[in-house]
Amino acid sequence: MTQDEVLNIFRQSGALLEGHFRLTSGLHSDRYLQCALVLQHPLQAGALGAALAARMCALIGKPDFVIAPALGGILVAHEVAREVGVRGLFAERQEGVLQLRRGFRIEPGEKAFVVEDVVTTGGSTKETMDVVTRAGGIVLAAGSLIDRTGGRADLGVPRVALAVLDIPAFPPEECPLCRTGSQAIKPGSR
Ligand code: ZN
């Protein structure tokens, strides 16, 4: 699956909007991503998960399990794990710290793929990697459907993304789109 094919799947479900947006952070941007809108379609979620699994396995071999941070990564871990034929786990926050709950177990020496829907800073992937290593597991690679850092996030392990985007965001007073007279809209409001 090429980057264009991936982005077209996102566009078709409204998960990637192009225009002039006011983000929750208050910053303005020319693109808006909402992965849940593509992952709500099981066929698309399955196709994207299978493509990510294939790319990661070709790069580094098969893991013993796949793990993601909740909530955004859960469906991605599930679909990647389905394709590889291994367990799909998720870590969730308790008192602000990601951890394994619900009886999920990682045996010492087990090898993991850590996946997410979108890498924005790499922070959640890194925290999930720490969950794996604290339990004695080994992180083989990190993967995401979209990397919106332009490939800059360094996680210390091989990384795979189906699409790499560089999406700058600006304070309104510095926004080049505002300067052209265009009005920023809140995503989902049209
Ligand atoms: Zn603007």
Side-chain angles (χ1 to χ4, degrees):
M1 206 184 279
T2 67
Q3 166 144 335
D4 282 344
E5 286 166 342
V6 170
L7 294 180
N8 277 333
I9 292 176
F10 272 71
R11 284 189 193 100
Q12 278 158 18
S13 59
L16 173 62
L17 301 177
E18 283 143 319
H20 182 191
F21 304 104
R22 188 174 70 247
L23 309 177
T24 314
S25 60
L27 298 178
H28 287 194
S29 177
D30 68 349
R31 273 159 292 173
Y32 177 76
L33 264 176
Q34 180 47 271
C35 278
L37 290 179
V38 71
L39 295 174
Q40 72 180 322
H41 303 290
L43 280 178
Q44 276 84 333
L48 292 165
L52 184 58
R55 292 261 284 271
M56 294 180 80
C57 288
L59 180 71
I60 206 93
K62 258 179 82 164
D64 298 308
F65 68 99
V66 182
I67 183 169
L71 276 163
I74 294 177
L75 290 171
V76 179
H78 185 78
E79 293 303 334
V80 170
R82 184 207 302 274
E83 178 69 14
V84 181
V86 295
R87 327 200 291 290
L89 280 56
F90 56 89
E92 54 199 309
R93 282 187 200 285
Q94 194 164 31
E95 279 146 27
V97 183
L98 276 182
Q99 41 198 288
L100 285 182
R101 301 180 65 191
R102 302 170 195 274
F104 283 149
R105 289 196 55 184
I106 296 172
E107 301 300 334
E110 274 195 311
K111 301 194 232 30
F113 282 172
V114 175
V115 299
E116 267 205 271
D117 49 356
V118 183
V119 168
T120 305
T121 62
S124 314
T125 293
K126 190 92 187 71
E127 262 192 84
T128 310
M129 290 169 60
D130 293 341
V131 169
V132 173
T133 49
R134 274 205 307 272
I138 299 158
V139 177
L140 291 183
S144 61
L145 302 182
I146 309 266
D147 171 1
R148 56 174 297 170
T149 74
R152 284 185 296 273
D154 181 7
L155 298 168
V157 295
R159 284 183 60 210
V160 173
L162 293 183
V164 179
L165 299 176
D166 198 351
I167 308 181
F170 305 91
E173 60 277 11
E174 292 168 26
C175 174
L177 293 162
C178 283
R179 243 170 245 163
T180 68
S182 144
Q183 190 91 36
I185 61 162
K186 216 170 141 243
S189 65
R190 61 173 179 188

